[in-house]
Amino acid sequence: TNNAAERAEGGTYGEAAFVLTERSVTVETIGVWLPVTDEQLEDEPEAAAMIDMDLPLMVRQRLDGQILVGDGSTPNILGINNKDSILTQAKSTDPVFDAVLKGITKVRVTGRATPSAVVFHPNDWQEVRLTRTTDGIYILGNPNDPAPASIWGLPVAQSDNQTENTAVVGAFATHARLRIRRDIVIEKTNSHDTHFINGRQAIRAGIRCATVWNRAAAFCTVTGI
């Protein structure tokens, strides 16, 4: 309860109240492994560097999808698109620009939060970015415009993991948390299966983390775009 109010000199401050309920979120593991021969690692100098770069990238790409569309059923992380009670705004007959602004407004008014980004599937953002006036002028600026992608003053994040035809407006900066129990670690062993006698190594990369969505109404899906 927010009882912040004006007060006269010597007057009493308004007393606020918080009702907190303990919640638990399961920490999940996202990982990948790759079999490699001893000869590949010994004879190709770039092999180890490529593996050390690409395996963590694979984990991050999977994490990106989980943050957006994970269903929250173990071992999946709960993605924002599947968070209970988030707001929604149907495009219907509105232009995409109008529907997104209505979603932004819902987050501000109903969620009482400040949106920090809008997430689009690249195919959907392409259609928005290519929108032109009847005389052929691009609404979001010339193709050589160096400015970062944005809509209604909010940065646009593009992910091919986001559900097509649906955008997400959210106060990610203040009401979303990625809790990392163990950051990405790369480990190697030759004790897997018959790897030792066959001259192979198993290399794996993994992360343990969980998402925390502090306020469902601080996020809104814009559907039908």
Side-chain angles (χ1 to χ4, degrees):
T1 303
N2 182 356
N3 284 323
E6 301 70 31
R7 58 178 286 276
E9 182 178 354
T12 303
Y13 282 83
E15 180 180 343
F18 288 95
V19 179
L20 302 179
T21 302
E22 184 177 3
R23 306 288 188 190
S24 63
V25 178
T26 303
V27 174
E28 305 290 2
T29 301
I30 298 175
V32 64
W33 81 282
L34 180 74
V36 184
T37 66
D38 294 340
E39 290 80 4
Q40 287 174 322
L41 292 177
E42 292 171 358
D43 298 342
E44 178 48 59
E46 293 296 323
M50 181 190 71
I51 292 169
D52 288 345
M53 178 177 64
D54 286 354
L55 284 187
L57 175 61
M58 291 177 181
V59 172
R60 293 189 183 97
Q61 288 176 327
R62 185 65 181 180
L63 176 59
D64 178 71
Q66 287 284 289
I67 289 172
L68 290 171
V69 297
D71 63 15
S73 177
T74 297
N76 293 291
I77 292 172
L78 179 60
I80 187 56
N81 283 267
N82 292 314
K83 169 67 177 173
D84 291 338
S85 303
I86 66 170
L87 305 174
T88 185
Q89 173 64 47
K91 175 185 175 295
S92 189
T93 58
D94 287 334
V96 174
F97 296 105
D98 294 24
V100 170
L101 181 57
K102 288 179 179 180
I104 292 172
T105 302
K106 280 190 174 181
V107 170
R108 291 185 181 278
V109 176
T110 305
R112 300 207 72 188
T114 302
S116 58
V118 185
V119 182
F120 281 89
H121 188 283
N123 290 339
D124 296 330
W125 177 246
Q126 173 181 267
E127 294 304 311
V128 174
R129 187 64 183 85
L130 292 177
T131 305
R132 291 180 285 182
T133 61
T134 54
D135 52 352
I137 298 175
Y138 289 102
I139 289 179
L140 291 183
N142 293 325
N144 66 342
D145 190 341
S150 64
I151 186 169
W152 297 113
L154 296 181
V156 170
Q158 299 180 59
S159 173
D160 59 358
N161 288 302
Q162 174 59 27
T163 303
E164 280 199 69
N165 304 315
T166 298
V168 179
V169 177
F172 293 95
T174 54
H175 294 287
R177 299 287 185 271
L178 178 64
R179 300 299 189 189
I180 298 177
R181 179 63 55 85
R182 186 191 71 221
D183 209 344
I184 296 177
V185 175
I186 298 177
E187 299 171 295
K188 303 176 183 180
T189 182
N190 62 4
S191 62
H192 172 68
D193 197 28
T194 60
H195 277 27
F196 181 75
I197 62 174
N198 290 330
R200 290 195 297 263
Q201 297 185 40
I203 306 176
R204 74 179 189 185
I207 188 173
R208 297 185 66 228
C209 56
T211 52
V212 178
W213 309 105
N214 290 337
R215 185 186 302 173
F219 301 89
C220 180
T221 56
V222 182
T223 61
I225 61 176

